[in-house]
Amino acid sequence: MEQADTMAAVTEPREISERTCAGCRQHDARGALVRLALSEHAGAQLVPDLRGKLGGRGVSVHASRSCLALAANRGGFARSLSCAVSVNEAELALAIEAQLVGRAKGLLLGGIRAKRIALGTEAVVRSVESQKLALLVVAEDAAGRSVQLTERVRSAGKPVAVLADKAFLGGLTSRAELGVLGVLDRGIAVELARVATMLGTLAGKTDVSGASPSKSEAEAE
């Protein structure tokens, strides 16, 4: 099962701000990269700034182990920031992962509170039939009807994002496990697909070239 399908079905073309990855040195849409902020209070260390809210100097990098390794071990971070920085590649990857997971959880909980999330197979089927589905989220360990529904949604040209496991999705509700849920809000769908794609890339399930969100990624954070 692919980590995340394109978001072209739920987005429209718009002017995109680009950044350069400190690892591979390729230009990419800002939303396809993770911003790292230089924290002087932590001894000139880099900390993830997924939403771009931290002030001061920053640097961008793809959420991939290869790009993190290139930037950390070949001076990519120091070159981009024009100063020496303390970088532990493994710790930085874990910090990025934790922030991405937290962002996904926040988006889903917000959507649930706003009643913009369809929970479970039957609710998702109804959202597909009423053409309200903006994004299908499926657990990595989903099986049975959840997998069949995923194929149906993909065949209909709707975007799909693979995220976490059934216990994680179920933990957002009163259920022990949940294989699928449907996002009905366009803004949440775009951002959640971006986060899911980055998590997949960080886990080595997709490559950077195939992991970028649509060139109309939401930049109105």
Side-chain angles (χ1 to χ4, degrees):
M1 189 176 295
E2 298 176 4
Q3 184 61 27
D5 290 354
T6 177
M7 288 301 297
V10 297
T11 57
E12 298 174 354
R14 57 182 292 186
E15 186 177 351
I16 298 303
S17 174
E18 291 192 341
R19 298 289 186 273
T20 301
C21 174
C24 67
R25 307 302 298 170
Q26 293 182 359
H27 297 288
D28 212 334
R30 185 180 69 176
L33 301 165
V34 174
R35 181 180 188 271
L36 303 173
L38 185 62
S39 174
E40 300 294 347
H41 299 292
Q45 289 187 345
L46 290 170
V47 296
D49 181 23
L50 185 63
R51 302 187 67 184
K53 301 298 183 181
L54 298 179
R57 286 184 293 173
V59 61
S60 298
V61 66
H62 285 113
S64 75
R65 297 281 180 166
S66 59
C67 286
L68 287 173
L70 285 172
N73 301 328
R74 297 190 180 181
F77 288 137
R79 181 169 55 250
S80 296
L81 292 165
S82 299
C83 69
V85 290
S86 175
V87 181
N88 182 305
E89 176 193 335
E91 290 181 359
L92 185 56
L94 288 174
I96 292 173
E97 180 182 23
Q99 196 167 114
L100 287 168
V101 171
R103 178 66 171 148
K105 184 176 181 179
L107 287 165
L108 289 170
L109 287 174
I112 291 172
R113 286 193 295 269
K115 297 183 179 180
R116 301 297 292 163
I117 302 290
L119 301 173
T121 303
E122 298 302 327
V124 172
V125 168
R126 289 194 295 270
S127 73
V128 173
E129 293 175 345
S130 63
Q131 298 186 346
K132 294 181 178 179
L133 182 70
L135 174 71
L136 177 70
V137 176
V138 57
E140 292 179 347
D141 55 348
R145 292 185 64 196
S146 295
V147 174
Q148 295 172 3
L149 177 58
T150 300
E151 295 307 315
R152 174 182 172 182
V153 170
R154 282 200 172 110
S155 297
K158 295 290 185 177
V160 176
V162 180
L163 180 68
D165 55 24
K166 293 187 292 185
F168 176 86
L169 296 183
L172 301 173
T173 68
S174 58
R175 310 184 187 194
E177 294 185 339
L178 188 63
V180 293
L181 57 83
V183 180
L184 311 181
D185 181 272
R186 180 190 179 94
I188 294 176
V190 172
E191 178 66 2
L192 192 58
R194 181 174 82 98
V195 170
T197 297
M198 286 185 174
L199 281 168
T201 306
L202 193 60
K205 295 177 182 177
T206 56
D207 59 25
V208 171
S209 61
S212 300
S214 165
K215 285 198 171 183
S216 50
E217 93 283 0
E219 291 191 300
E221 295 181 13

